[in-house]
Structures are given as C-alpha cells and as structure tokens.
Amino acid sequence: QVQLEESGGGLVQAGGSLRLSCAASGNILTNNIMGWYRQAPGQQREKVATITSGGTTDYAGSFGDRFTISRDNRRNTVFLQIDNLKAEDTAVYYCFTVPFYPRTPYTWGQGIQVTVSS
C-alpha cells in the first residue's frame, strides 16, 4: 500500500507564503499523478492542482496565480507553494497520489490545516 505524510501547514499572516509538502512511501509506481485538494470552512472539497511524474501541471479554476505545484521524484514528494496568502486560503489541504494508469486507486493524506491570519 501507499502512505502519504503531509507537513508545512500552520498559522501564517496574510501576505506571507508557505510551502506544503507531502511525502509518499510504500508501493509507489514510477508513473503517477500527485496533487492537492482543499476544503475551506463551509465549502465543498475542491481540486487545486495536479502534477504528473513527468512534470506536467494543471491548475483548477483560478489557482494558477498564487499557487505553484512541484515535485521531487527522487524523494516521492509533492509540494504546494502558496504566495501572497489571503484569508480565504484558510482550509484543510489534502494531497493525493494515483497511478497514471488506470487512474485508480487514489491514496489520500490525512489533511493539513492552513490558517491565514489578517
């Protein structure tokens, strides 16, 4: 099985930056997709961004301006850089990984809290 360990969250002042990390371990296929979702208070969980093992990125909605997804294949780790943090970025952030084919099963992290203080 695959396990995901998230780190880097916490309380950050508005206008600042942080980088979330998610390290995968276990039976990981080389060709995979990793990414991030988030769930803000009172809202449904929404996709933020994904990245393939080859480095192809996709950003959902309007996340491309202040969010940057990257990965380190040697460490099996995906990152989410968030710049110019805003209060509305407050949410629980979840990372995932899934084999490129057949795009199942998804493995999820437990979620990490990001709280932005104004």
Side-chain angles (χ1 to χ4, degrees):
Q1 70 277 17
V2 178
Q3 300 84 37
L4 298 175
E5 182 177 354
E6 298 156 316
S7 61
L11 178 63
V12 185
Q13 191 173 21
S17 300
L18 61 75
R19 187 174 73 162
L20 305 179
S21 299
C22 175
S25 61
N27 190 18
I28 307 164
L29 294 176
T30 301
N31 192 6
N32 63 68
I33 299 170
M34 302 184 77
W36 296 88
Y37 280 66
R38 76 177 188 183
Q39 186 167 20
Q43 301 185 21
Q44 295 182 341
R45 189 176 300 188
E46 62 180 342
K47 184 166 68 175
V48 176
T50 63
I51 184 169
T52 70
S53 56
T56 300
T57 61
D58 279 307
Y59 294 90
S62 59
F63 288 105
D65 288 339
R66 299 183 295 107
F67 293 72
T68 304
I69 190 169
S70 61
R71 62 186 291 163
D72 183 339
N73 290 335
R74 186 180 66 86
R75 298 162 56 195
N76 292 317
T77 300
V78 63
F79 307 96
L80 185 68
Q81 175 78 25
I82 313 176
D83 296 317
N84 191 22
L85 282 158
K86 303 179 182 297
E88 52 262 40
D89 296 323
T90 295
V92 178
Y93 287 73
Y94 300 87
C95 68
F96 75 88
T97 187
V98 64
F100 188 85
Y101 183 85
R103 304 289 178 96
T104 190
Y106 280 74
T107 300
W108 294 89
Q110 293 184 357
I112 187 165
Q113 178 71 48
V114 173
T115 303
V116 181
S117 176
S118 61

